[in-house]
Amino acid sequence: MPTDTTAAAASTGQQAAGTSGRKKGRKGRLLVLVLVLALIGGVAYGAYWSVSTVRASFPQTTGSITLEGLSGPVDVRRDGYGIPQIYASSDEDLFMAQGYVQAQDRFYEMDVRRHMTSGRLSEMFGAGQVDNDAFLRTLGWDRIAKQEYEEKLSPATKKYLQAYAKGVNAYLEGKEGKDISLEYAALSFENDYKPGAWTPVDSVAWLKAMAWDLRGNMQDEIDRALLTSRLGPKQIADLYPSYPYDRNKPIVQEGGYDEGSGTFEAEGGSGDGTGSGDGSGSELGGGTGAGAEGDAAGFESQLTGLQRVLEDLPTAVGVNGDGIGSNSWVVSGEHTVSGKPLLANDPHLSASLPSVWYQMGLHCRDVSDKCRYDVTGYTFAGMPGVIIGHNQDIAWGLTNSGVDVTDLYLEKITGDGYQYGDKVVPFTTREETIKVAGGASRKIVVRETNNGPLLSDRSDDLVKTGKKAAVDSAAPDRGDGYAVALRWTALDPGRTMDAVFAINRAKDWDDFREASELFEVPSQNLVYADTDNHIGYTLPGKIPTRAEKHDGSVPAPGWDPDYEWTGWVDQDELPYEFDPERGYIVTANQAVVDEDYPYTLTTDWGYGARSQRINDLIQSKIKDGGKISTDDMRQMQLDNSSAVAKLLVPELLKIDVGDPHVREAQKLLEGWDYTQDADSAAAAYFNSVWRNILKLSFGHKLPKEVRVKGQCLWVEPANTTGPADEAGKVRECGQRSASQAQPDGGDRWFEVVRRLMADEDSEWWTTPKRGTRPAAENRDQLFKRALIDARWELTAKLGKDIDTWSWGRLHRLFLDNQTLGTDGPGFVKFVLNRGPWKLGGGEATVNATGWNAAGGYGVVWVPSMRMVVNLDDLDKSRWINLTGASGHAYNAHYVDQTEKWAEGELLEWAYSEKAVEDSTTDTLVLKP
């Protein structure tokens, strides 16, 4: 008989045996036994934790629970992977149940996220997070989210957010931390933190964190300015080549901007505009423009301080803005086996445990005005609705557009305010109090200019260097120093939360386009397909326009009105495609439009290595009338082909290496098909050669601010001081984390090397002798040196016997809990973290398991999920998550999808009521 409890009773963690939905069997018992033995051996923890502690937070997944506030019963059906499908009879009940169920599985994750977005991590983790909180308070995500909720969102959206919060709080009612998640039991040894009630603003604020990690070219903006300490304009231009339109196609290939109507037309256009900038970088830091004559080194030092702050921030969904990509493409029915569209999506984000995504279905028993949703897909724990997925009529996917929506401004400040034109304008200020677990509260003052908050107020390095920065007569007097402000679209209240629900309800292309206009921040590429056999693409977003001299590529002088934003690109002017003649659309962070588009959307697109490979794969399938299946789409997602290997290997094989041991490794490349499988020795050796080519030709010439932390070199002095050797050189050590250093080896570096290949005597191909390694004076000599260095690097890492080498031994994925799993005691890390997994794929491949060539071979970002939607039969769609539905360590669904994800498998994705019923293993009834 099902158990019938109240919400309060359920909150105690006491439930009938067999109701948690855990997979039974010897393996599960052994895991718990291992954990208990580890707990007993742990200092301080063993005396407190037990099997009951571990299991206390596991969710009840069968029987029934009474929830006050429901208007009718709600069914929660879970399949064998714990993925929930919710059935309700009203919108409010549906979203209240969504809040309850997500809190069951992921509340600790939700709690950490809201503390991050509101700058309150110190309340959970103590004084070590004060600087992070101060920076996040300066950005003011939570404050902006509150404005959005109060001033911008529709009444219906507010109602859904309130219902969701009610569901979360029903789950929390009466529970202690240890009954919610194991992490709270660990935290209880450090402080007396207790989770508070969930609010609608907590959900809205998460969109700000997502926008932060998808914010566009801010990192490139910083890097270009930092590079000026060692490189000249021509060298920097070499490292930031223009987009290769002649080789890699943009997203939108049909239609164009019509100057007559001032709109984007999907079936043609007369646009021949020149754009609002040429990408040359005319602002401060790029060598010309207002204030540029000032001492660049002072501003570079400020940016270095800012970079240190950014590196310390917790990662939300990406690698703090670096390396974030994604694939999404859609194929029309004329090219598919079923005769209806197929849509694929796999967003590339940082690896986290649990995964950033949460899979679920939200179903109204009868779709009507009272209950309007029948949608399934991926959402974020802590947010109602579905972010990526499909309903009964349409499917959609997202990739990051890379549109430039942030600008850094150097501000001339005084004691009274900041200079704007020929006036001093008072700061806008607010005081923030940061509460600290186990310590005294801290107060900060946030100052803002017309361009945004002063990020430099949060860094002593920025304050000191701002005061010392030397300037000449072309720049304003220093006054009390220079500061750095941030202009960012996400710091204006918006309506993206409205867009989530509008897209979830959309029935056709017109509905979808109208809904997407609300998706203001972050700007994303949206691909579309429907059951009526249409496909489409649209670029929504709040995208700024700039004056002619300002293209957003490098920081700008805030005191000059000619550098401020001039407005927004109108929605009718933004690019889109609908049913293009070619029958498919590919988005993989490449350029959205060609060079004729009249607005500069960004100067820093992805360079199109992945997108062009997907285009080529589709074309190879459909040539001569071939058709594409659901499994073909899956296989394309797993494509491991290396574009840079195709470019370099033929030249590498021409090199006479001499040394028989190096020649033995070089022979691995003979006949290699450029596929980076996990068991490939050739892929291991090539990627090591590639890493060493980058290090020798570029890495050793870059300034310390962008090199790997701790990597020290003797270099010619350049705006630096330090002990000089007998040759007049100074020792400089890198300052950037291994996951964000340069050269990272992504497709920008593919393009850099491609353009240098013909210039065999370029200065970039030179490197000095180091130890027994020979010097290089041209391309082939440097390639030889890289072949040698790679052989001995892999000998040290993998052994002398090349028969034992494999790419997967180097290229490993570790899944770490993003709080206690990274900074907690070693014992707690053992409990919470998982891995490693040996992976194939690589940087800028379709199977984009990213690694940073400057820092090593480990996986730093991944396809965070994969899905293929079949619009002919939605029950034949397929999906997978990086980890599992549960955020509870040692729950059966903690990482139960990871092995299949690593092997490239997809799970069945039930949608229709019958398919869901057939896949259901546990049913929980939520009763009013």
Side-chain angles (χ1 to χ4, degrees):
M1 293 288 292
T3 59
D4 187 349
T5 64
T6 64
S11 71
T12 66
Q14 304 299 318
Q15 51 189 288
T19 63
S20 69
R22 298 185 300 275
K23 293 181 179 178
K24 310 301 188 295
R26 185 170 180 269
K27 184 176 181 181
R29 291 194 298 271
L30 285 175
L31 285 175
V32 174
L33 177 61
V34 168
L35 175 61
V36 172
L37 291 174
L39 292 172
I40 292 172
V43 177
Y45 295 90
Y48 178 75
W49 286 4
S50 64
V51 174
S52 62
T53 304
V54 174
R55 290 179 171 172
S57 58
F58 287 8
Q60 179 178 339
T61 59
T62 64
S64 63
I65 298 174
T66 299
L67 295 187
E68 185 177 345
L70 288 175
S71 64
V74 177
D75 294 338
V76 182
R77 304 175 184 175
R78 293 180 184 258
D79 67 10
Y81 288 89
I83 300 170
Q85 305 279 346
I86 299 176
Y87 288 83
S89 298
S90 73
D91 290 340
E92 291 92 331
D93 285 356
L94 191 66
F95 294 118
M96 181 177 176
Q98 184 182 16
Y100 185 89
V101 171
Q102 287 191 342
Q104 280 188 305
D105 285 334
R106 299 278 195 95
F107 183 75
Y108 176 77
E109 174 192 6
M110 294 163 58
D111 199 17
V112 171
R113 284 180 175 178
R114 65 165 166 175
H115 279 77
M116 180 182 70
T117 57
S118 59
R120 296 188 297 120
L121 289 167
S122 299
E123 294 178 17
M124 294 185 74
F125 304 110
Q129 294 298 321
V130 168
D131 288 344
N132 284 335
D133 282 346
F135 186 84
L136 293 165
R137 295 284 185 99
T138 299
L139 289 174
W141 293 346
D142 188 63
R143 183 176 58 88
I144 302 300
K146 186 176 181 181
Q147 284 183 257
E148 288 186 358
Y149 179 76
E150 293 177 348
E151 302 170 10
K152 291 287 187 178
L153 299 182
S154 70
T157 295
K158 291 181 181 179
K159 182 171 61 176
Y160 301 155
L161 288 164
Q162 292 162 3
Y164 181 91
K166 187 186 298 184
V168 174
N169 292 327
Y171 170 75
L172 295 177
E173 185 181 349
K175 285 184 171 65
E176 297 181 16
K178 65 183 177 64
D179 299 321
I180 298 171
S181 190
L182 192 61
E183 288 91 333
Y184 291 118
L187 283 176
S188 67
F189 289 100
E190 303 296 331
N191 59 61
D192 59 355
Y193 171 78
K194 293 179 176 57
W198 191 265
T199 73
V201 173
D202 293 333
S203 296
V204 178
W206 178 242
L207 290 169
K208 300 302 174 186
M210 185 173 76
W212 176 253
D213 279 348
L214 302 174
R215 63 192 179 269
N217 76 335
M218 181 171 161
Q219 191 62 60
D220 289 313
E221 197 172 330
I222 292 172
D223 285 357
R224 268 188 288 261
L226 292 174
L227 291 178
T228 59
S229 68
R230 285 212 162 271
L231 305 178
K234 170 62 169 63
Q235 292 171 309
I236 294 174
D238 285 345
L239 302 187
Y240 286 89
S242 58
Y243 186 84
Y245 287 100
D246 59 332
R247 191 175 64 257
N248 295 341
K249 295 180 176 63
I251 296 171
V252 176
Q253 301 175 35
E254 301 174 23
Y257 186 82
D258 190 294
E259 290 184 336
S261 64
T263 61
F264 197 92
E265 304 295 337
E267 296 182 355
S270 59
D272 58 358
T274 59
S276 59
D278 61 6
S280 60
S282 59
E283 298 85 340
L284 195 150
T288 62
E293 295 83 354
D295 182 6
F299 190 50
E300 288 147 18
S301 298
Q302 289 185 316
L303 292 176
T304 301
L306 172 59
Q307 175 62 33
R308 292 190 189 119
V309 174
L310 297 181
E311 284 185 2
D312 288 339
L313 283 181
T315 299
V317 297
V319 190
N320 288 332
D322 295 335
I324 296 176
S326 293
N327 301 321
S328 189
W329 66 94
V330 59
V331 181
S332 70
E334 66 180 297
H335 297 311
T336 68
V337 172
S338 70
K340 290 290 182 71
L342 294 169
L343 185 150
N345 197 187
D346 55 289
H348 308 154
L349 305 170
S350 77
S352 61
L353 181 61
S355 166
V356 69
W357 298 110
Y358 185 92
Q359 299 154 284
M360 71 187 319
L362 301 172
H363 307 277
C364 290
R365 292 190 177 95
D366 296 300
V367 178
S368 63
D369 290 341
K370 180 181 178 182
C371 196
R372 299 190 286 174
Y373 297 89
D374 190 9
V375 61
T376 180
Y378 297 85
T379 188
F380 299 123
M383 268 184 58
V386 168
I387 304 299
I388 297 173
H390 72 81
N391 61 26
Q392 66 272 38
D393 299 305
I394 74 165
W396 67 96
L398 305 180
T399 63
N400 193 26
S401 70
V403 168
D404 185 2
V405 295
T406 60
D407 278 336
L408 292 171
Y409 285 89
L410 183 64
E411 303 283 5
K412 189 267 182 180
I413 63 174
T414 70
D416 299 321
Y418 60 96
Q419 181 172 327
Y420 182 68
D422 58 0
K423 297 180 180 179
V424 174
V425 181
F427 294 110
T428 301
T429 62
R430 67 180 189 275
E431 186 176 85
E432 299 271 355
T433 299
I434 300 171
K435 296 180 181 178
V436 181
S441 297
R442 314 282 180 88
K443 291 185 181 295
I444 64 168
V445 175
V446 177
R447 299 187 295 175
E448 295 189 12
T449 73
N450 62 314
N451 292 313
L454 291 183
L455 303 187
S456 51
D457 281 356
R458 305 283 76 85
S459 166
D460 289 341
D461 286 341
L462 293 181
V463 171
K464 292 174 183 176
T465 54
K467 289 182 177 180
K468 294 178 180 179
V471 295
D472 62 21
S473 59
D477 290 337
R478 177 171 58 249
D480 290 336
Y482 292 97
V484 179
L486 173 67
R487 182 78 169 98
W488 179 32
T489 55
L491 298 184
D492 298 326
R495 301 170 295 170
T496 301
M497 199 71 240
D498 280 344
V500 172
F501 297 110
I503 291 173
N504 286 188
R505 295 191 303 268
K507 295 182 178 298
D508 55 30
W509 173 248
D510 289 340
D511 284 353
F512 182 75
R513 281 268 287 169
E514 184 177 349
S516 70
E517 290 185 9
L518 301 170
F519 207 109
E520 295 174 335
V521 177
S523 176
Q524 297 285 285
N525 297 312
L526 297 181
V527 294
Y528 167 94
D530 64 35
T531 55
D532 288 333
N533 213 0
H534 299 293
I535 64 172
Y537 160 84
T538 190
L539 175 70
K542 193 172 184 180
I543 300 171
T545 57
R546 299 171 174 88
E548 184 176 352
K549 65 171 67 174
H550 181 23
D551 67 3
S553 62
V554 293
W559 52 79
D560 188 339
D562 287 342
Y563 285 86
E564 66 182 8
W565 290 358
T566 58
W568 313 102
V569 181
D570 189 81
Q571 291 294 316
D572 290 339
E573 299 177 289
L574 290 172
Y576 74 98
E577 275 192 332
F578 183 63
D579 287 341
E581 186 175 342
R582 66 187 179 279
Y584 63 90
I585 302 169
V586 175
T587 82
N589 317 111
Q590 78 272 40
V592 170
V593 286
D594 63 23
E595 297 168 285
D596 289 338
Y597 188 68
Y599 297 103
T600 299
L601 297 177
T602 185
T603 59
D604 295 296
W605 302 115
Y607 281 79
R610 278 181 291 111
S611 62
Q612 193 55 45
R613 176 62 177 171
I614 297 167
N615 271 283
D616 293 344
L617 289 170
I618 293 172
Q619 289 174 354
S620 70
K621 282 287 185 181
I622 66 177
K623 69 179 180 180
D624 302 323
K627 303 294 184 180
I628 295 176
S629 68
T630 300
D631 196 60
D632 289 332
M633 300 284 273
R634 179 187 71 87
Q635 293 285 357
M636 291 179 196
Q637 289 178 325
L638 303 178
D639 183 80
N640 287 330
S641 180
S642 170
V644 75
K646 293 177 183 178
L647 172 70
L648 293 180
V649 167
E651 300 303 321
L652 294 172
L653 289 175
K654 296 176 184 178
I655 306 297
D656 182 3
V657 294
D659 187 316
H661 295 290
V662 180
R663 172 61 185 144
E664 181 185 29
Q666 185 188 34
K667 288 172 68 175
L668 290 171
L669 304 179
E670 296 177 358
W672 179 44
D673 64 358
Y674 315 122
T675 299
Q676 301 171 99
D677 293 333
D679 61 0
S680 171
Y685 183 57
F686 171 76
N687 282 315
S688 182
V689 173
W690 170 237
R691 179 174 186 248
N692 280 279
I693 287 174
L694 292 171
K695 184 190 303 183
L696 295 168
S697 53
F698 308 106
H700 290 169
K701 301 178 179 71
L702 299 179
K704 62 183 182 296
E705 291 87 356
V706 302
R707 294 202 316 269
V708 176
K709 190 177 298 182
Q711 180 192 84
C712 300
L713 299 170
W714 288 97
V715 298
E716 297 290 343
N719 298 322
T720 186
T721 59
D725 69 359
E726 64 278 4
K729 294 185 177 181
V730 296
R731 184 172 171 81
E732 288 187 349
C733 297
Q735 299 177 351
R736 188 166 291 185
S737 68
S739 66
Q740 300 186 55
Q742 294 294 337
D744 62 20
D747 67 352
R748 173 165 67 89
W749 294 99
F750 291 10
E751 193 64 22
V752 169
V753 170
R754 183 185 296 277
R755 297 191 184 198
L756 289 172
M757 287 294 286
D759 186 3
E760 298 183 25
D761 295 316
S762 167
E763 63 178 343
W764 292 111
W765 299 129
T766 62
T767 193
K769 178 181 178 181
R770 294 186 187 275
T772 61
R773 305 285 201 271
E777 296 181 356
N778 58 44
R779 186 195 72 186
D780 287 353
Q781 289 178 7
L782 186 136
F783 283 5
K784 179 178 179 178
R785 168 77 176 272
L787 287 160
I788 294 169
D789 288 1
R791 171 39 157 148
W792 300 119
E793 181 186 7
L794 293 198
T795 297
K797 291 180 180 295
L798 302 179
K800 185 176 181 180
D801 184 358
I802 65 173
D803 290 336
T804 67
W805 291 3
S806 70
W807 177 223
R809 287 181 62 195
L810 291 171
H811 192 53
R812 298 187 299 167
L813 170 67
F814 291 84
L815 291 176
D816 294 340
N817 178 287
Q818 291 301 291
T819 55
L820 300 180
T822 56
D823 295 320
F827 164 72
V828 175
K829 292 180 182 179
F830 168 81
V831 171
L832 298 177
N833 297 342
R834 300 292 183 270
W837 285 267
K838 299 176 181 179
L839 300 185
E843 189 78 12
T845 62
V846 181
N847 184 20
T849 54
W851 56 287
N852 186 300
Y857 303 98
V859 177
V860 295
W861 49 280
V862 296
S864 54
M865 62 81 160
R866 298 187 184 101
M867 76 175 195
V868 179
V869 182
N870 185 325
L871 276 298
D872 177 60
D873 184 346
L874 293 168
D875 288 330
K876 292 182 179 178
S877 302
R878 298 292 182 264
W879 63 354
I880 196 80
N881 206 351
L882 173 64
T883 59
S886 179
H888 301 291
Y890 292 94
N891 184 280
H893 306 306
Y894 192 45
V895 289
D896 59 338
Q897 297 184 52
T898 307
E899 190 65 35
K900 292 182 180 295
W901 173 92
E903 294 296 326
E905 298 181 37
L906 297 177
L907 304 177
E908 292 185 357
W909 184 356
Y911 175 68
S912 70
E913 188 167 9
K914 183 181 185 308
V916 170
E917 183 178 349
D918 290 343
S919 67
T920 296
T921 59
D922 289 351
T923 299
L924 174 69
V925 179
L926 303 178
K927 300 167 61 176

